[in-house]
Amino acid sequence: MFLHFGVNTFTGFERGTGHDDLAIIDPVGLNANQWVSVAADTGISLMILTAKNHDGFYLWPSKYTDHSVKSSHWKGGKGDVAREFVDAAMARGVDPGLYLSPWDRHEPRYGHNLEYNEYYLAQLQELLTKYGSLREIGFDGFKGSSALNITYYFTEWFSMVKEMQSSINIFSDAGPDVRWVGNEDGFAGTTCWAAINRTSLSIGNASIVGLKELRNALDTIFSVNIAEKCSMRASSQRGGKDGGFGPENVLDSDHLWTYWAPRDEDDGEDPWIEIRVTDGGLRFNVVRIHEAVGLGQRIKRHEIYVDGKKIAQGTTAGYKRLHRLKGGVVYGSVVRVKITESKGLPLISSIGLHFDPFWQPKDRKWP
């Protein structure tokens, strides 16, 4: 969960100018415990706060600038939003993270490579020493079209972050631990490899209702896996019947380290795995596929059949691929997932069949 809080919260504009009147910042009702409670109650395990956004305003009282909460009226200049956020998250067992915008519309050193990068490293060091162990630190390469030209020293930033907190995840456009999905649409593209190119380098009531509705929807759709009471078959399995890589592994609760693996040579046919109903028919409109990503992302193309009829096809699967079926609700007895192309042996750790009552496709058609 990403929290945007700063000057633009009070101006109503999407982005601050860097020269906003800080007298407007006086969040007397700020309650970080409420933020975290809403997140925790809706199943969110990681929260990231914009410690500094593009306008250059700091949500903590930094010793490197006066353009921060210490120049606001809030708590007489003694407040620290970052501290209240991190403390609230840790108290509820939610992982805290911080985002620190490289683009800075306030700082006069911006545009001067060495001076600004040294200044940015000082900001990072301050965050990583003041607020304990963080789960994630975030950057990006975004800046406005009229922004001054500058080179960010990403390599030096990443190196210092890992030196100070070795277990932290670094997010940026190109990783190195977590990367941007490539759009602002809320979902990944049809083909999405999880690889990283290391050379690239108060919540309102409406929001609370929306989060609770999302949590309820997820529980409604995914709390029941229709496949769990079915039997499993596969084209083959590594090591034979007692080898430990059988198709039944896709129905256990371990979605990472137990998995189905076909033989190296599958008699010239595409490897497949089947869900077979044991009592009555199947009714579903969502198919879920997990790869054993701890051993790499491998599937390049796959197809899904019900009683011999193709109902879906796709490219990559990765940690979790959800097929919301364009043809609507499916009824059948045998569901087959066929891997038509992969990088090495495909390893599938989990498969689910689910019913989404909210999914009502307008144009019901099959591939």
Side-chain angles (χ1 to χ4, degrees), residues 258-279:
T258 64
Y259 49 88
W260 164 67
R263 290 194 305 260
D264 291 339
E265 297 295 334
D266 223 355
D267 298 327
E269 69 172 327
D270 293 328
W272 52 263
I273 183 169
E274 279 185 351
I275 300 166
R276 289 177 165 261
V277 70
T278 56
D279 182 18

Side-chain angles (χ1 to χ4, degrees), residues 225-227 230-235 247 250-251 272-278 280-289 303-312 323 325 330-338 351-354:
N225 180 4
I226 299 166
C230 299
S231 60
M232 304 298 302
R233 287 185 59 212
S235 55
V250 305
L251 298 181
W272 52 263
I273 183 169
E274 279 185 351
I275 300 166
R276 289 177 165 261
V277 70
T278 56
L282 297 169
R283 175 177 176 266
F284 61 95
N285 58 6
V286 177
V287 180
R288 172 177 52 82
I289 304 172
E303 299 171 346
I304 302 171
Y305 296 81
V306 172
D307 295 341
K309 178 182 178 180
K310 185 193 292 186
I311 62 165
H323 286 279
L325 302 178
V330 173
Y331 298 85
S333 300
V334 179
V335 180
R336 173 178 289 193
V337 177
K338 180 192 291 186
I351 292 178
L353 303 179
H354 305 279

Side-chain angles (χ1 to χ4, degrees), residues 236-248 263:
S236 68
Q237 63 187 69
R238 179 190 296 171
K241 184 177 180 180
D242 299 318
F245 300 102
E248 65 278 0
R263 290 194 305 260

